[in-house]
């Protein structure tokens, strides 16, 4: 049951490949926490409702062209524009569930194959953003992803881009990383995955007060950055 004396909320990020079921799982998690009377919010990136988000939306739909660096920084700016409100919500005891965050930001840009856009470069504008207390990585095999239907019409929804994104995500998972990343096998039924997600989230919410105040993403958070 919800504990009214809990001091701060948890910042819970759900990351992973397209078709891993991120949005459905975020929605289910949000409903479950509300049902348990926890103060909860569900946000997603890109947030297409803001002026920056509208530029991103137009780019993703192929209605505008932008330099690779520019669009990358817009994705990051789209997170920065709500960074303070995330912070405020967490301090008010609200648990914030986030559908895609800095991992997607760095990986999708690095997957473009532009030699000037390394993972290292792509991570830099994320430094200082609220740091997730828990990052749930929904892992899905290419075979399972393929079974879940074809791509839509947006930019990045191509086989070659998705393969590079997948490989980059997997290479990150292979690296020794921080405790706050939890890999979830997303190739199972919706209910099984939801159950697997709820457990570490509740555990994290129970522990946040002992973790202390919300932290910031550092240059080495999550991604042990090399030079490539
Ligand atoms: N995407 C998403 C990025 O390239 N960078 C980012 O920082 C974020 C948050 O935008 F292809 C990509 C990932 C995806 C596209 O995302 C739209 P949704 O989750 O499919 O709406
Ligand atoms: Mg999509």
């Amino acid at each position: 049951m919800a504990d009214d004396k809990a001091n701060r909320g948890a910042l819970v990020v759900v990351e992973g490949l397209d078709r891993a079921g991120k949005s459905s799982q975020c929605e289910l998690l949000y409903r479950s926490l509300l049902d348990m009377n926890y103060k909860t919010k569900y946000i997603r990136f890109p947030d297409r409702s803001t002026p920056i988000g509208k530029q991103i939306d137009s780019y993703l739909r192929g209605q505008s062209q932008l330099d690779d660096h520019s669009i990358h920084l817009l994705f990051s700016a789209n997170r920065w524009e709500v960074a303070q409100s995330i912070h405020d919500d967490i301090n008010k005891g609200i648990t914030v569930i986030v559908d895609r965050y800095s991992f997607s930001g760095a990986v999708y840009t690095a997957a473009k194959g532009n030699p000037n856009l390394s993972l290292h470069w792509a991570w830099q504008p994320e430094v200082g953003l609220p740091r997730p207390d828990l990052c749930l990585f929904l892992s899905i095999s290419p075979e399972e992803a393929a079974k879940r239907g074809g791509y839509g019409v947006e930019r990045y929804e191509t086989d070659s881009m998705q393969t590079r994104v997948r490989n980059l995500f997997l290479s990150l998972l292979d690296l020794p990383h921080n405790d706050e990343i939890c890999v979830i096998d997303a190739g199972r039924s919706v209910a099984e995955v939801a159950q697997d997600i709820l457990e570490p989230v509740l555990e994290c919410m129970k522990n946040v007060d002992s973790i202390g105040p919300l932290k910031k993403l550092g240059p080495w958070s999550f991604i042990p950055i090399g030079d490539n």
Side-chain angles (χ1 to χ4, degrees):
M1 278 302 285
D3 177 357
D4 284 340
K5 65 184 168 22
N7 292 321
R8 79 156 167 103
L11 181 57
V12 177
V13 164
V14 179
E15 277 285 10
L17 295 162
D18 288 278
R19 300 182 187 138
K22 288 184 298 302
S23 303
S24 316
Q25 290 297 338
C26 283
E27 188 69 38
L28 283 172
L29 176 61
Y30 174 63
R31 300 268 155 228
S32 301
L33 295 182
L34 282 184
D35 286 349
M36 287 184 255
N37 290 326
Y38 286 110
K39 290 190 272 182
T40 312
K41 269 193 189 170
Y42 166 29
I43 61 173
R44 62 179 304 161
F45 293 112
D47 172 356
R48 302 187 193 218
S49 69
T50 68
I52 290 170
K54 289 192 168 75
Q55 280 182 274
I56 294 172
D57 182 61
S58 158
Y59 173 83
L60 287 172
R61 290 167 185 266
Q63 290 165 352
S64 59
Q65 305 304 322
L66 284 169
D67 168 78
D68 288 339
H69 303 77
S70 300
I71 181 64
H72 179 75
L73 294 172
L74 287 178
F75 273 115
S76 185
N78 189 229
R79 284 183 276 282
W80 276 104
E81 58 187 344
V82 291
Q84 187 60 50
S85 76
I86 291 176
H87 209 271
D88 294 346
D89 283 339
I90 297 284
N91 284 338
K92 280 185 229 154
I94 300 169
T95 283
V96 182
I97 301 163
V98 189
D99 189 343
R100 287 197 194 278
Y101 198 59
S102 304
F103 244 141
S104 283
V107 164
Y108 275 78
T109 291
K112 288 176 142 179
N114 179 333
N116 296 318
L117 301 176
S118 63
L119 214 42
H120 187 167
W121 183 86
W123 188 256
Q124 299 313 303
E126 306 304 307
V127 173
L129 281 171
R131 177 180 173 133
D133 295 301
L134 177 66
C135 178
L136 297 156
F137 192 94
L138 301 197
S139 172
I140 186 173
S141 69
E143 294 75 27
E144 188 56 39
K147 278 195 229 154
R148 295 185 177 183
Y151 300 113
V153 293
E154 291 206 330
R155 210 185 280 261
Y156 303 156
E157 294 185 338
T158 63
D159 274 330
S160 56
M161 181 68 183
Q162 293 292 321
T163 304
R164 288 198 300 272
V165 166
R166 178 176 293 121
N167 290 340
L168 270 173
F169 266 134
L170 293 180
S171 71
L172 294 181
L173 288 183
D174 275 350
L175 297 167
H177 42 61
N178 302 333
D179 292 346
E180 60 262 43
I181 297 184
C182 180
V183 180
I184 304 280
D185 172 5
R188 296 163 303 150
S189 74
V190 173
E192 282 172 308
V193 177
Q195 186 53 41
D196 255 26
I197 285 177
L198 190 57
E199 242 168 73
V201 171
L202 292 174
E203 186 65 21
C204 172
M205 289 166 69
K206 209 168 66 188
N207 293 333
V208 278
D209 284 327
S210 62
I211 297 171
L214 189 63
K215 295 183 183 141
K216 291 179 177 174
L217 282 176
W220 302 99
S221 302
F222 296 132
I223 302 185
I225 298 164
D227 284 333
N228 65 334

